[in-house]
Amino acid sequence: MTVLTTTRHQAEPLAHYRLLTAVQQHGFDTAIQRANDAHDADRYNAAMHTAGLAIGIALADGAEITQCACQDCYCDAVFDTSGPDLIVIETTDYGVQRFQCAACADDHPATPED
Ligand SMILES: [Zn+2]
Ligand SMILES: [Zn+2]
C-alpha cells in the first residue's frame, strides 16, 4: 500500500453554524453574547455551557467554544478553543477570544494585530 499524500489530521469542528436550526443559532448567539458580557468566571463558564447545549454538546467544565472568526472566508466552524492548530486573532481580558479554526489557520493564516 502506497500513501501518496500526507494529510495533517485536523479535528472536525463541533458544528457548522449554517447547519444549525434557527433556534440553535439563537441559543448559541445569546449564550456567546452572555459569555462576552459576563466579566466573571462563573457566569462565563455557565454561559459557555449553555452555548454548548444550544448546539447539542455537553461541554466539560471550563471548556470554551466559539465560531471561527476568520475574515478571509465565510467559515462557520464552531469549535473548542482548546483544540490544536488554532490562531488567536484577538484576545480580551474578559469575554470570548476570537480564534481562527485549524482549517483556516492551515489554509490562510491570519496575522494577529498587536
Ligand atoms: Zn475557519
Ligand atoms: Zn477562513
XYZ file of all heavy atoms in Angstrom:
859
model
N 0.845 -1.200 0.000
C 0.000 0.000 0.000
C 0.877 1.245 0.000
O 1.797 1.363 0.785
C -0.888 -0.006 1.243
C -1.982 1.054 1.169
S -3.184 0.904 2.515
C -2.350 1.775 3.836
N 0.608 2.132 -0.921
C 1.382 3.364 -1.036
C 0.535 4.566 -0.632
O -0.569 4.738 -1.129
C 1.869 3.574 -2.487
O 2.412 2.356 -2.947
C 2.911 4.657 -2.547
N 1.089 5.330 0.271
C 0.397 6.555 0.670
C 1.025 7.722 -0.087
O 2.203 8.009 0.065
C 0.497 6.795 2.190
C -0.185 8.103 2.581
C -0.114 5.624 2.939
N 0.248 8.331 -0.947
C 0.785 9.370 -1.814
C 0.777 10.758 -1.163
O 1.640 11.569 -1.434
C -0.011 9.435 -3.119
C 0.083 8.176 -3.987
C -0.867 8.271 -5.164
C 1.513 7.951 -4.467
N -0.188 10.983 -0.358
C -0.266 12.303 0.271
C -0.295 12.146 1.782
O -0.829 11.174 2.302
C -1.531 13.062 -0.157
O -2.665 12.248 0.118
C -1.495 13.405 -1.627
N 0.305 13.072 2.444
C 0.195 13.099 3.896
C -0.694 14.285 4.265
O -0.323 15.428 4.075
C 1.572 13.258 4.561
O 2.257 14.323 3.915
C 2.380 11.996 4.460
N -1.848 13.945 4.725
C -2.790 14.974 5.140
C -2.712 15.111 6.652
O -2.843 14.135 7.364
C -4.228 14.605 4.734
O -4.228 14.276 3.357
C -5.170 15.764 4.982
N -2.466 16.325 7.079
C -2.411 16.564 8.506
C -3.796 16.345 9.102
O -4.790 16.838 8.591
C -1.963 18.007 8.763
C -1.081 18.142 9.957
C -0.108 19.283 9.823
N -0.742 20.536 9.424
C -1.045 21.501 10.286
N -0.773 21.372 11.539
N -1.609 22.615 9.880
N -3.843 15.597 10.158
C -5.136 15.369 10.789
C -5.594 16.621 11.520
O -4.869 17.198 12.299
C -5.061 14.206 11.775
C -6.357 13.979 12.476
N -7.431 13.361 11.878
C -6.772 14.325 13.703
C -8.439 13.337 12.719
N -8.076 13.911 13.832
N -6.806 17.035 11.218
C -7.377 18.173 11.925
C -8.665 17.754 12.590
O -9.435 16.987 12.029
C -7.652 19.320 10.950
C -6.383 20.030 10.530
C -6.622 20.919 9.320
O -7.639 20.823 8.670
N -5.662 21.760 9.029
N -8.874 18.261 13.769
C -10.105 17.952 14.474
C -11.288 18.511 13.690
O -11.245 19.635 13.210
C -10.066 18.553 15.874
N -12.301 17.709 13.539
C -13.514 18.181 12.902
C -14.169 19.228 13.797
O -14.150 19.098 15.011
C -14.492 17.013 12.716
C -14.159 16.118 11.551
C -14.349 16.846 10.220
O -15.432 17.400 10.009
O -13.406 16.861 9.436
N -14.754 20.273 13.195
C -15.471 21.230 14.037
C -16.639 20.552 14.760
O -17.158 19.530 14.288
C -15.967 22.290 13.051
C -15.719 21.777 11.697
C -14.757 20.643 11.787
N -17.020 21.110 15.883
C -18.134 20.554 16.642
C -19.440 20.718 15.885
O -20.345 19.892 15.987
C -18.242 21.274 18.002
C -17.039 21.150 18.929
C -17.205 22.071 20.130
C -16.875 19.709 19.384
N -19.520 21.801 15.142
C -20.744 22.093 14.404
C -20.426 23.113 13.320
O -19.382 23.762 13.356
C -21.817 22.651 15.341
N -21.319 23.214 12.368
C -21.246 24.294 11.381
C -22.450 25.200 11.621
O -23.594 24.745 11.585
C -21.257 23.737 9.957
C -19.968 23.102 9.571
N -18.868 23.841 9.204
C -19.588 21.811 9.541
C -17.861 23.020 8.947
N -18.271 21.782 9.148
N -22.145 26.459 11.850
C -23.197 27.394 12.240
C -24.365 27.394 11.252
O -25.520 27.403 11.652
C -22.592 28.797 12.371
C -23.543 29.820 12.933
C -23.732 29.911 14.315
C -24.248 30.676 12.097
C -24.601 30.843 14.835
C -25.120 31.612 12.619
C -25.303 31.699 13.982
O -26.173 32.620 14.490
N -24.026 27.382 9.962
C -25.071 27.447 8.945
C -26.003 26.245 8.994
O -27.132 26.324 8.515
C -24.450 27.524 7.543
C -24.170 28.932 7.074
C -23.829 28.924 5.586
N -22.624 28.180 5.295
C -21.404 28.724 5.246
N -21.258 30.006 5.467
N -20.361 27.997 4.979
N -25.509 25.132 9.530
C -26.315 23.914 9.548
C -27.189 23.810 10.794
O -28.001 22.900 10.906
C -25.415 22.674 9.458
C -24.558 22.568 8.193
C -23.740 21.284 8.217
C -25.428 22.625 6.939
N -27.002 24.737 11.724
C -27.830 24.725 12.927
C -29.229 25.222 12.589
O -29.416 25.978 11.637
C -27.218 25.633 14.004
C -25.809 25.280 14.489
C -25.302 26.367 15.437
C -25.793 23.928 15.171
N -30.189 24.809 13.396
C -31.538 25.348 13.221
C -31.565 26.787 13.729
O -30.662 27.224 14.464
C -32.570 24.530 14.016
O -32.308 24.703 15.411
C -32.480 23.045 13.676
N -32.587 27.522 13.360
C -32.730 28.913 13.805
C -32.749 28.989 15.331
O -32.170 29.906 15.921
C -33.995 29.535 13.221
N -33.402 28.022 15.946
C -33.477 28.008 17.406
C -32.088 27.776 18.011
O -31.692 28.426 18.977
C -34.465 26.922 17.896
C -34.386 26.750 19.405
C -35.885 27.272 17.477
N -31.338 26.853 17.411
C -29.977 26.591 17.894
C -29.084 27.811 17.701
O -28.306 28.174 18.582
C -29.379 25.393 17.146
C -29.955 24.054 17.579
C -29.369 22.911 16.756
O -29.338 22.960 15.531
N -28.897 21.886 17.432
N -29.190 28.447 16.532
C -28.380 29.643 16.276
C -28.694 30.730 17.286
O -27.802 31.382 17.815
C -28.643 30.169 14.857
C -28.069 29.267 13.785
C -28.347 29.789 12.383
O -29.112 30.728 12.195
N -27.742 29.171 11.388
N -29.976 30.903 17.558
C -30.383 31.929 18.516
C -29.838 31.607 19.907
O -29.316 32.479 20.597
C -31.910 32.050 18.550
C -32.390 33.098 19.482
N -32.271 34.442 19.213
C -32.947 33.015 20.709
C -32.747 35.134 20.230
N -33.165 34.297 21.148
N -29.970 30.344 20.301
C -29.470 29.931 21.614
C -27.963 30.106 21.714
O -27.441 30.588 22.728
N -27.254 29.738 20.667
C -25.793 29.871 20.627
C -25.395 31.345 20.695
O -24.567 31.746 21.523
C -25.267 29.214 19.346
C -23.772 29.285 19.194
C -22.941 28.416 19.874
C -23.200 30.233 18.354
C -21.556 28.487 19.738
C -21.823 30.302 18.199
C -21.006 29.432 18.902
N -25.993 32.164 19.842
C -25.664 33.600 19.811
C -25.910 34.255 21.161
O -25.092 35.043 21.637
C -26.527 34.316 18.756
C -26.122 33.951 17.337
O -25.023 33.398 17.161
O -26.910 34.225 16.417
N -27.057 33.930 21.741
C -27.426 34.539 23.016
C -26.432 34.142 24.105
O -25.995 34.980 24.901
C -28.852 34.096 23.430
O -29.748 34.431 22.383
C -29.285 34.778 24.715
N -26.059 32.861 24.124
C -25.140 32.371 25.152
C -23.744 32.964 24.972
O -23.089 33.356 25.952
C -25.082 30.844 25.114
N -23.276 33.064 23.743
C -21.949 33.646 23.488
C -21.960 35.131 23.890
O -20.998 35.639 24.477
C -21.550 33.489 22.002
C -21.332 32.008 21.670
C -20.304 34.311 21.685
C -20.127 31.358 22.333
N -23.058 35.793 23.566
C -23.192 37.200 23.954
C -23.137 37.328 25.471
O -22.466 38.218 26.012
C -24.520 37.749 23.413
C -24.698 39.246 23.615
C -23.618 40.042 22.895
O -23.359 39.801 21.711
N -22.955 40.946 23.584
N -23.820 36.415 26.143
C -23.841 36.438 27.605
C -22.433 36.171 28.152
O -22.015 36.786 29.128
C -24.829 35.385 28.107
C -25.446 35.717 29.441
C -26.546 34.735 29.796
N -27.766 34.942 29.028
C -28.701 34.016 28.812
N -28.539 32.808 29.298
N -29.763 34.283 28.112
N -21.709 35.272 27.516
C -20.328 34.995 27.932
C -19.464 36.243 27.756
O -18.648 36.586 28.609
C -19.754 33.833 27.124
N -19.678 36.931 26.635
C -18.929 38.155 26.369
C -19.179 39.215 27.436
O -18.293 40.003 27.762
C -19.345 38.724 25.007
C -18.337 38.390 23.931
O -17.137 38.400 24.175
N -18.820 38.098 22.749
N -20.382 39.241 27.932
C -20.775 40.275 28.892
C -20.587 39.830 30.331
O -20.942 40.560 31.248
C -22.263 40.644 28.678
C -22.487 41.283 27.316
O -21.500 41.776 26.733
O -23.634 41.279 26.843
N -20.063 38.619 30.534
C -20.077 38.030 31.875
C -19.168 38.767 32.866
O -19.584 39.066 33.982
C -19.666 36.561 31.800
N -17.939 39.063 32.476
C -16.971 39.708 33.375
C -16.808 38.962 34.685
O -16.521 39.564 35.714
C -17.375 41.167 33.662
C -17.476 41.989 32.422
N -16.399 42.275 31.621
C -18.553 42.560 31.825
C -16.800 43.004 30.589
N -18.096 43.182 30.678
N -16.985 37.676 34.653
C -16.992 36.885 35.881
C -16.851 35.430 35.457
O -17.574 34.968 34.580
C -18.329 37.148 36.596
C -18.551 36.236 37.785
O -18.731 35.018 37.573
O -18.542 36.741 38.913
N -15.906 34.716 36.033
C -15.593 33.369 35.561
C -16.773 32.410 35.668
O -17.030 31.624 34.758
C -14.393 32.814 36.321
N -17.500 32.484 36.778
C -18.616 31.560 36.970
C -19.704 31.777 35.928
O -20.213 30.834 35.322
C -19.223 31.720 38.376
C -18.342 31.060 39.430
O -17.453 30.266 39.049
O -18.532 31.343 40.619
N -20.051 33.055 35.729
C -21.092 33.359 34.758
C -20.603 33.051 33.347
O -21.371 32.608 32.493
C -21.509 34.833 34.874
C -22.437 35.056 36.064
C -22.506 36.500 36.482
N -23.022 37.351 35.400
C -23.117 38.678 35.502
N -22.736 39.278 36.611
N -23.596 39.384 34.516
N -19.316 33.299 33.122
C -18.738 32.997 31.814
C -18.850 31.505 31.514
O -19.305 31.097 30.442
C -17.274 33.429 31.796
C -16.584 33.202 30.470
C -16.673 34.143 29.458
C -15.845 32.045 30.244
C -16.052 33.935 28.242
C -15.221 31.829 29.029
C -15.321 32.776 28.038
O -14.715 32.556 26.840
N -18.436 30.680 32.482
C -18.485 29.235 32.278
C -19.915 28.729 32.100
O -20.166 27.833 31.296
C -17.803 28.511 33.444
C -16.297 28.694 33.421
O -15.712 28.932 32.368
N -15.662 28.593 34.577
N -20.825 29.314 32.869
C -22.233 28.925 32.748
C -22.758 29.271 31.358
O -23.477 28.483 30.731
C -23.069 29.613 33.827
N -22.383 30.446 30.854
C -22.834 30.864 29.524
C -22.238 29.958 28.446
O -22.920 29.586 27.485
C -22.455 32.323 29.270
N -20.963 29.579 28.623
C -20.330 28.673 27.672
C -21.033 27.319 27.667
O -21.226 26.709 26.618
C -18.855 28.473 28.034
C -17.949 29.502 27.441
S -17.963 29.407 25.623
C -17.350 31.039 25.240
N -21.390 26.870 28.857
C -22.085 25.594 28.961
C -23.414 25.658 28.194
O -23.774 24.732 27.459
C -22.321 25.248 30.436
C -22.705 23.819 30.647
N -21.801 22.784 30.543
C -23.898 23.242 30.919
C -22.430 21.635 30.746
N -23.700 21.889 30.972
N -24.102 26.782 28.340
C -25.364 26.976 27.629
C -25.140 27.004 26.120
O -25.928 26.445 25.350
C -26.027 28.296 28.081
O -26.184 28.263 29.495
C -27.388 28.472 27.433
N -24.053 27.636 25.710
C -23.741 27.689 24.273
C -23.545 26.273 23.730
O -23.984 25.952 22.623
C -22.488 28.526 24.028
N -22.871 25.441 24.498
C -22.677 24.052 24.096
C -23.990 23.310 23.972
O -24.249 22.638 22.975
N -24.840 23.486 24.980
C -26.139 22.812 24.953
C -26.964 23.251 23.748
O -27.677 22.456 23.145
C -26.914 23.111 26.246
C -26.364 22.489 27.521
C -27.244 22.867 28.707
C -26.281 20.972 27.404
N -26.820 24.530 23.390
C -27.591 25.059 22.256
C -27.262 24.315 20.967
O -28.116 24.165 20.098
C -27.326 26.556 22.086
N -26.029 23.849 20.846
C -25.655 23.111 19.635
C -25.589 21.610 19.911
O -25.045 20.842 19.122
C -24.329 23.614 19.025
C -23.150 23.409 19.983
C -24.458 25.084 18.654
C -21.790 23.608 19.300
N -26.116 21.197 21.054
C -26.280 19.778 21.327
C -25.057 19.096 21.902
O -24.888 17.886 21.763
N -24.184 19.878 22.559
C -22.968 19.310 23.124
C -22.863 19.660 24.601
O -23.040 20.821 24.979
C -21.728 19.829 22.358
C -21.722 19.264 20.938
C -20.437 19.464 23.087
C -20.822 19.987 19.998
N -22.581 18.653 25.420
C -22.360 18.890 26.843
C -20.873 19.157 27.055
O -20.057 18.246 27.012
C -22.812 17.692 27.669
N -20.527 20.416 27.249
C -19.123 20.782 27.413
C -18.631 20.432 28.807
O -19.388 20.488 29.769
C -18.944 22.293 27.213
C -19.193 22.848 25.818
C -19.042 24.360 25.841
C -18.237 22.231 24.822
N -17.351 20.095 28.892
C -16.730 19.907 30.197
C -16.654 21.260 30.899
O -16.647 22.312 30.249
C -15.337 19.320 30.027
N -16.593 21.218 32.225
C -16.468 22.458 32.984
C -15.243 23.239 32.527
O -14.155 22.689 32.428
C -16.339 22.161 34.481
C -17.699 22.039 35.140
O -18.707 22.300 34.466
O -17.734 21.681 36.332
N -15.448 24.511 32.247
C -14.330 25.347 31.863
C -13.998 25.319 30.386
O -13.141 26.063 29.930
N -14.668 24.438 29.636
C -14.417 24.389 28.199
C -15.050 25.600 27.528
O -16.040 26.142 27.988
C -14.981 23.100 27.607
N -14.428 26.023 26.442
C -14.937 27.167 25.699
C -15.136 26.772 24.250
O -14.302 26.076 23.680
C -13.926 28.312 25.711
C -13.648 28.926 27.038
C -12.503 29.932 26.897
O -11.351 29.498 26.911
O -12.789 31.113 26.721
N -16.204 27.267 23.665
C -16.389 27.080 22.231
C -16.587 28.440 21.590
O -16.991 29.404 22.242
C -17.589 26.166 21.905
C -18.873 26.702 22.519
C -17.309 24.743 22.350
C -20.113 25.950 22.046
N -16.323 28.516 20.327
C -16.527 29.764 19.606
C -16.697 29.458 18.132
O -16.377 28.351 17.677
C -15.340 30.732 19.828
O -15.695 32.024 19.333
C -14.089 30.248 19.119
N -17.188 30.428 17.413
C -17.275 30.288 15.957
C -16.024 30.902 15.359
O -15.493 31.890 15.862
C -18.517 31.003 15.427
C -18.742 30.731 13.942
C -19.916 31.512 13.373
O -20.769 31.981 14.113
N -19.948 31.646 12.071
N -15.534 30.291 14.291
C -14.342 30.785 13.619
C -14.505 32.266 13.276
O -15.515 32.673 12.727
C -14.110 29.972 12.352
S -12.629 30.456 11.445
N -13.491 33.050 13.609
C -13.554 34.495 13.376
C -12.760 34.891 12.139
O -12.358 36.036 11.993
C -13.036 35.240 14.603
N -12.506 33.919 11.266
C -11.732 34.179 10.059
C -12.369 35.286 9.233
O -13.572 35.308 9.035
C -11.645 32.908 9.219
S -10.652 33.121 7.731
N -11.537 36.190 8.754
C -12.053 37.283 7.941
C -11.739 37.084 6.468
O -12.056 37.928 5.639
C -11.489 38.608 8.447
C -12.162 39.011 9.755
C -11.355 39.990 10.562
O -10.174 40.189 10.301
N -11.972 40.590 11.563
N -11.111 35.965 6.138
C -10.744 35.709 4.749
C -11.737 34.814 4.027
O -11.647 34.630 2.821
C -9.357 35.064 4.676
C -8.276 36.033 5.114
O -8.488 37.251 4.952
O -7.240 35.576 5.603
N -12.631 34.194 4.779
C -13.632 33.350 4.150
C -14.877 33.375 5.026
O -14.879 34.004 6.070
C -13.111 31.915 3.976
S -12.930 31.013 5.518
N -15.896 32.708 4.565
C -17.127 32.701 5.345
C -17.217 31.418 6.155
O -18.159 30.659 6.039
C -18.340 32.875 4.433
C -18.347 34.219 3.764
C -17.894 34.376 2.468
C -18.789 35.338 4.469
C -17.886 35.618 1.864
C -18.782 36.582 3.877
C -18.324 36.721 2.568
O -18.305 37.951 1.984
N -16.187 31.159 6.933
C -16.114 29.942 7.715
C -17.153 29.974 8.825
O -17.332 30.985 9.486
C -14.721 29.824 8.318
S -14.475 28.282 9.189
N -17.819 28.864 9.006
C -18.854 28.817 10.043
C -18.579 27.698 11.047
O -19.477 27.230 11.723
C -20.238 28.634 9.414
C -20.396 27.262 8.769
O -19.378 26.583 8.537
O -21.539 26.869 8.515
N -17.311 27.287 11.126
C -16.958 26.215 12.049
C -17.119 26.674 13.495
O -16.690 27.767 13.867
C -15.523 25.774 11.807
N -17.766 25.842 14.289
C -17.851 26.065 15.734
C -16.949 25.020 16.376
O -17.074 23.832 16.072
C -19.299 25.915 16.250
C -19.343 26.054 17.765
C -20.211 26.940 15.583
N -16.017 25.463 17.210
C -15.021 24.525 17.714
C -14.637 24.858 19.149
O -14.888 25.958 19.645
C -13.768 24.543 16.815
C -13.224 25.941 16.588
C -12.275 26.470 17.431
C -13.696 26.720 15.542
C -11.789 27.761 17.233
C -13.224 28.001 15.336
C -12.271 28.531 16.192
N -13.990 23.868 19.778
C -13.487 24.016 21.137
C -12.179 24.811 21.067
O -11.281 24.465 20.297
C -13.247 22.621 21.721
C -12.914 22.658 23.204
O -12.134 23.535 23.631
O -13.430 21.799 23.923
N -12.071 25.841 21.884
C -10.901 26.718 21.781
C -9.639 26.095 22.363
O -8.564 26.681 22.277
C -11.152 28.051 22.506
O -11.381 27.796 23.895
C -12.342 28.773 21.923
N -9.757 24.891 22.949
C -8.564 24.216 23.451
C -7.958 23.312 22.384
O -6.957 22.643 22.627
C -8.907 23.404 24.701
O -9.734 22.313 24.351
N -8.566 23.287 21.202
C -8.100 22.408 20.142
C -6.750 22.831 19.596
O -6.299 23.954 19.838
N -6.090 21.933 18.829
C -4.775 22.247 18.277
C -4.866 23.128 17.029
O -5.920 23.202 16.394
C -4.237 20.862 17.902
C -5.466 20.067 17.581
C -6.553 20.589 18.488
N -3.772 23.775 16.702
C -3.596 24.472 15.426
C -4.493 25.688 15.232
O -4.732 26.111 14.121
C -3.813 23.514 14.239
C -2.867 22.320 14.282
O -1.723 22.509 14.727
O -3.279 21.222 13.897
N -4.990 26.240 16.315
C -5.819 27.441 16.194
C -4.933 28.673 16.220
O -3.834 28.648 16.753
C -6.816 27.522 17.352
C -7.676 26.287 17.592
C -8.538 26.501 18.837
C -8.537 25.983 16.391
N -5.416 29.739 15.633
C -4.720 31.017 15.720
C -5.605 31.986 16.485
O -6.790 32.134 16.186
C -4.413 31.585 14.317
C -3.362 30.725 13.616
C -3.930 33.034 14.411
C -3.005 31.206 12.227
N -5.024 32.614 17.494
C -5.761 33.635 18.237
C -5.680 34.937 17.452
O -4.602 35.462 17.194
C -5.174 33.837 19.644
C -5.935 34.939 20.383
C -5.212 32.542 20.427
N -6.828 35.436 17.045
C -6.868 36.680 16.280
C -6.898 37.869 17.230
O -6.272 38.890 17.001
C -8.107 36.708 15.353
C -8.012 35.589 14.316
C -8.234 38.070 14.678
C -9.219 35.490 13.407
N -7.635 37.711 18.288
C -7.811 38.826 19.210
C -8.036 38.273 20.611
O -8.815 37.345 20.793
C -9.034 39.645 18.782
C -9.174 40.962 19.473
C -10.470 41.651 19.069
O -11.081 41.238 18.076
O -10.862 42.585 19.761
N -7.345 38.829 21.578
C -7.560 38.400 22.954
C -8.267 39.502 23.724
O -8.158 40.675 23.398
C -6.235 38.081 23.663
O -5.431 39.251 23.646
C -5.499 36.955 22.982
N -8.981 39.087 24.725
C -9.648 40.048 25.594
C -9.383 39.628 27.027
O -9.165 38.457 27.308
C -11.169 40.056 25.345
O -11.643 38.711 25.421
C -11.502 40.639 23.985
N -9.391 40.589 27.929
C -9.190 40.266 29.337
C -10.340 39.420 29.850
O -10.163 38.447 30.568
C -9.084 41.545 30.168
C -7.763 42.248 29.903
O -6.847 41.582 29.393
O -7.659 43.443 30.185
N -11.525 39.827 29.487
C -12.709 39.057 29.824
C -13.438 38.786 28.527
O -13.228 39.456 27.533
C -13.639 39.847 30.757
C -13.035 40.099 32.104
C -12.458 41.326 32.399
C -13.046 39.112 33.079
C -11.905 41.569 33.635
C -12.491 39.341 34.314
C -11.918 40.569 34.591
O -11.382 40.792 35.809
N -14.309 37.809 28.567
C -15.120 37.556 27.385
C -14.444 36.599 26.431
O -13.406 36.016 26.719
N -15.037 36.457 25.288
C -14.658 35.431 24.331
C -13.517 35.924 23.460
O -13.593 36.989 22.863
C -15.868 35.058 23.442
C -15.505 33.912 22.522
C -17.067 34.700 24.296
N -12.461 35.148 23.398
C -11.382 35.462 22.482
C -11.803 35.074 21.069
O -12.651 34.224 20.871
C -10.122 34.707 22.877
C -9.645 35.035 24.256
C -8.269 34.457 24.500
O -7.264 35.101 24.304
N -8.243 33.218 24.926
N -11.171 35.730 20.087
C -11.512 35.431 18.700
C -10.425 34.553 18.098
O -9.251 34.888 18.143
C -11.687 36.740 17.926
C -12.972 37.459 18.324
C -12.902 38.935 18.065
N -12.623 39.230 16.663
C -13.514 39.141 15.686
N -14.733 38.773 15.948
N -13.191 39.442 14.461
N -10.855 33.430 17.544
C -9.933 32.434 17.005
C -10.207 32.181 15.536
O -11.339 32.297 15.078
C -10.118 31.088 17.717
C -9.651 31.054 19.139
C -10.485 31.452 20.164
C -8.377 30.594 19.448
C -10.054 31.400 21.482
C -7.955 30.537 20.753
C -8.788 30.947 21.774
N -9.160 31.774 14.849
C -9.298 31.189 13.529
C -9.240 29.675 13.719
O -8.363 29.188 14.436
C -8.143 31.668 12.658
C -8.485 31.755 11.192
C -7.326 32.268 10.365
O -6.187 32.206 10.780
N -7.632 32.754 9.190
N -10.132 28.947 13.058
C -10.162 27.498 13.243
C -8.934 26.851 12.586
O -8.221 27.484 11.801
C -11.459 26.904 12.698
S -11.510 26.748 10.911
N -8.698 25.592 12.897
C -7.498 24.910 12.416
C -7.432 24.861 10.892
O -6.374 25.043 10.304
C -7.451 23.500 13.002
N -8.570 24.630 10.251
C -8.586 24.541 8.792
C -8.196 25.879 8.173
O -7.409 25.939 7.221
C -9.969 24.101 8.305
N -8.735 26.968 8.707
C -8.396 28.301 8.199
C -6.949 28.643 8.530
O -6.233 29.208 7.699
C -9.320 29.358 8.804
S -10.980 29.333 8.115
N -6.526 28.302 9.741
C -5.158 28.597 10.160
C -4.154 27.904 9.243
O -3.070 28.411 8.968
C -4.950 28.163 11.604
N -4.540 26.720 8.768
C -3.682 25.965 7.878
C -3.714 26.549 6.469
O -2.696 26.642 5.783
C -4.167 24.502 7.860
C -3.150 23.590 7.195
O -1.950 23.734 7.488
O -3.561 22.755 6.372
N -4.890 26.960 6.044
C -5.116 27.353 4.659
C -4.730 28.811 4.385
O -4.086 29.120 3.390
C -6.603 27.138 4.345
C -6.826 26.931 2.869
O -6.023 26.193 2.272
O -7.783 27.502 2.334
N -5.143 29.696 5.247
C -4.870 31.122 5.054
C -4.753 31.794 6.407
O -5.668 32.483 6.846
C -5.980 31.779 4.204
C -7.370 31.331 4.547
N -8.039 30.364 3.846
C -8.201 31.695 5.540
C -9.214 30.181 4.390
N -9.348 30.964 5.423
N -3.607 31.561 7.072
C -3.443 32.048 8.445
C -3.545 33.569 8.561
O -3.023 34.293 7.725
C -2.034 31.569 8.821
C -1.367 31.210 7.545
C -2.437 30.834 6.574
N -4.248 33.977 9.576
C -4.367 35.405 9.850
C -3.114 35.892 10.557
O -2.426 35.123 11.231
C -5.586 35.660 10.737
N -2.793 37.140 10.376
C -1.688 37.729 11.130
C -2.300 38.602 12.212
O -2.835 39.665 11.912
C -0.767 38.567 10.226
O -1.597 39.351 9.360
C 0.126 37.685 9.393
N -2.220 38.120 13.435
C -2.847 38.878 14.536
C -2.206 40.257 14.676
O -1.000 40.406 14.513
C -2.544 38.008 15.772
C -2.145 36.682 15.238
C -1.548 36.917 13.891
N -3.055 41.221 14.971
C -2.543 42.571 15.188
C -2.070 42.708 16.620
O -2.647 42.150 17.522
C -3.639 43.600 14.904
C -3.981 43.667 13.422
C -5.193 44.553 13.178
O -5.384 45.480 13.980
O -5.909 44.296 12.217
N -1.023 43.457 16.779
C -0.501 43.670 18.135
C -1.258 44.803 18.815
O -1.567 45.783 18.208
C 0.989 44.025 18.087
C 1.803 42.819 17.643
O 1.493 41.702 18.107
O 2.732 43.007 16.842
Zn -12.378 28.683 9.952
Zn -11.014 31.092 6.678
